Amino acid sequence: MAAEIVNPRSDSEAGTEQETGEPFDSFDPAFALHRGGKMAVQATVPIRDKDDLSLAYTPGVAKVCSAIAEQPDLVHDYTWKSSVVAVVTDGTAVLGLGDIGPEASLPVMEGKAILFKQFGGVDAVPIALDCTDADEIVETVVRLAPSFGGVNLEDISAPRCFEIERKLQERLDIPIFHDDQHGTAVVTLAALRNAARLSGRTLGELRAVISGAGAAGVAIAKMLVEAGIGDVAVADRKGVVSADRDDLTPVKRELASFTNKAGLSGTLDAALSGADVFIGVSGGTVPEPAVASMAKGAFVFAMANPNPEVHPEVAHKYAAVVATGRSDFPNQINNVLAFPGIFAGALQVRASRITEGMKLAAAEALASVVGDDLAADYVIPSPFDERVAPAVTAAVAAAARAEGVARR
């Protein structure tokens, strides 16, 4: 079976109505598009007569089941396992909406699933769990895992998301990928590589400041350090995450151990003085004077949605390159540039996990798509650039083989 990007709704179907008695669809095209859901399931083989039926189901299916029972690895060849991903959430950190619960998260998970198919050719199944305990989520996903070739964790609040991903990686031999962390980090690194190239600098010459020490902020910091950034400091609501603070969670204590070489402390605004890069993944607003205090030719990646931490009109006064998370401004840092190709590459070689090397390879491949067209308003390609997914897929597959996690 394969997930097909269709909308099976019927215009004649009755829908949820507003207090006026009119369906929501009558007033808002978003509701009209979502009626009946955004995806369905279709067969990849025909069942036209009794011969087809006897092959697709009983008695023919019994031969395949028996073969897999004797040789479990055959499941990858004779079922959909190697080409399908579970998109798993508990609904606790959905977009900018927060903890809205599993049912309300489903439109987002459906959207994620069709993005997998549209941009990476990967089938995906939305799974919204009615539990928030980290161990319960892990146990549930472990029990579901035989049906899937990989697991995309989505919209699970920090710090539980770190623990859940780590425990699943320890217990399963399929790719586990928390997109809010690593997808964001891959695309951010790709854009930053190109911004640095545009300015004639290397990553090692840059000092970055990240606003937000949640899932995305922590992952971006780790990836920038892996990629060779000169220095990076991360700020949360209480200021720069530094080793001298006594209020840090275990995740933030670890973060402090490999960031902030300059030993900065105090506020985000103060840390921005002389900084080369601002990366916002927290919401809130950065005052214009703080942006003005950054180094000449700085880069501002203000990625909060729908309201960037620094509005592009303000950022352009001081920054050489400006990026946001929005599609109506140039240089959109959009996870869809990364996760479909990353999973496609991992599934292609039947990888046992997604390594740091595979993520770095994805970022490099994504950056390379821009090529000679590099410009201040084009440091990252569009999600609709058909070169993106194949480039990321090939790079991730090659990296998996090089790191010894590929099984074919």
Side-chain angles (χ1 to χ4, degrees):
M1 308 292 280
E4 181 191 17
I5 306 173
V6 299
N7 188 340
R9 67 179 184 270
S10 167
D11 291 337
S12 63
E13 292 176 354
T16 304
E17 297 183 353
Q18 302 188 80
E19 292 180 1
T20 61
E22 292 292 326
F24 283 109
D25 319 25
S26 302
F27 301 92
D28 192 323
F31 280 92
L33 182 138
H34 282 78
R35 181 182 287 281
K38 298 192 294 291
M39 58 185 294
V41 174
Q42 70 172 15
T44 60
V45 297
I47 302 180
R48 298 159 298 194
D49 52 37
K50 65 181 181 63
D51 291 333
D52 288 343
L53 182 60
S54 68
L55 290 173
Y57 201 55
T58 185
V61 72
K63 297 179 182 179
V64 181
C65 293
S66 297
I68 294 171
E70 294 177 6
Q71 301 180 55
D73 281 350
L74 291 179
V75 70
H76 298 284
D77 299 311
Y78 294 104
T79 72
W80 78 342
K81 181 178 174 72
S82 280
S83 61
V84 68
V85 170
V87 180
V88 177
T89 189
D90 63 359
T92 55
V94 181
L95 302 178
L97 304 174
D99 185 355
I100 60 175
E103 287 88 353
S105 77
L106 268 177
V108 178
M109 300 311 118
E110 287 184 3
K112 196 81 174 190
I114 66 174
L115 294 180
F116 264 110
K117 187 67 172 180
Q118 178 74 29
F119 294 103
V122 174
D123 290 309
V125 177
I127 298 177
L129 301 179
D130 189 15
C131 61
T132 58
D133 179 80
D135 287 333
E136 287 185 8
I137 291 172
V138 169
E139 291 299 329
T140 302
V141 174
V142 167
R143 283 161 173 72
L144 290 169
S147 296
F148 299 99
V151 176
N152 182 99
L153 299 173
E154 189 74 19
D155 292 348
I156 298 173
S157 63
R160 294 174 312 114
C161 59
F162 303 111
E163 178 187 359
I164 290 166
E165 183 183 50
R166 175 179 57 79
K167 288 183 175 180
L168 286 173
Q169 287 174 337
E170 291 170 353
R171 295 185 59 180
L172 297 174
D173 65 348
I174 58 176
I176 310 296
F177 187 82
H178 184 213
D179 186 48
D180 300 313
Q181 292 184 61
H182 311 300
T184 306
V186 165
V187 182
T188 300
L189 174 58
L192 187 57
R193 281 191 182 281
N194 277 337
R197 179 163 70 93
L198 183 66
S199 67
R201 290 178 285 177
T202 65
L203 290 178
E205 297 175 83
L206 304 177
R207 178 170 74 85
V209 177
I210 299 173
S211 173
V218 170
I220 291 170
K222 287 182 177 180
M223 183 158 282
L224 292 185
V225 170
E226 287 278 347
I229 193 80
D231 194 12
V232 56
V234 183
D236 61 12
R237 291 184 180 88
K238 297 182 179 180
V240 174
V241 175
S242 57
D244 59 354
R245 281 177 49 179
D246 60 6
D247 61 344
L248 300 180
T249 64
V251 170
K252 291 180 182 178
R253 280 198 298 272
E254 181 190 1
L255 183 64
S257 72
F258 64 84
T259 60
N260 195 18
K261 295 177 186 176
L264 301 174
S265 60
T267 66
L268 167 72
D269 296 1
L272 282 174
S273 180
D276 302 293
V277 185
F278 167 75
I279 297 171
V281 285
S282 66
T285 302
V286 178
E288 184 170 343
V291 182
S293 74
M294 295 178 68
K296 184 178 180 181
F299 313 138
V300 171
F301 291 7
M303 301 187 293
N305 267 318
N307 300 311
E309 293 87 349
V310 183
H311 194 279
E313 289 182 3
V314 174
H316 277 297
K317 295 180 183 179
Y318 311 103
V321 175
V322 177
T324 72
R326 289 173 47 155
S327 59
D328 54 345
F329 292 109
N331 297 326
Q332 184 189 20
I333 308 298
N334 191 331
N335 289 17
V336 76
L337 289 162
F339 69 82
I342 289 173
F343 268 98
L347 293 174
Q348 184 181 96
V349 298
R350 205 176 294 166
S352 58
R353 60 191 301 263
I354 295 174
T355 66
E356 290 302 313
M358 291 162 72
K359 289 180 278 187
L360 289 170
E364 187 171 346
L366 182 55
S368 70
V369 171
V370 170
D372 294 337
D373 295 324
L374 181 65
D377 62 354
Y378 185 58
V379 297
I380 198 75
S382 162
F384 296 99
D385 188 325
E386 295 181 355
R387 300 172 296 172
V388 167
V392 174
T393 298
V396 168
R401 291 190 177 101
E403 298 204 336
V405 297
R407 290 176 286 196
R408 68 175 179 189

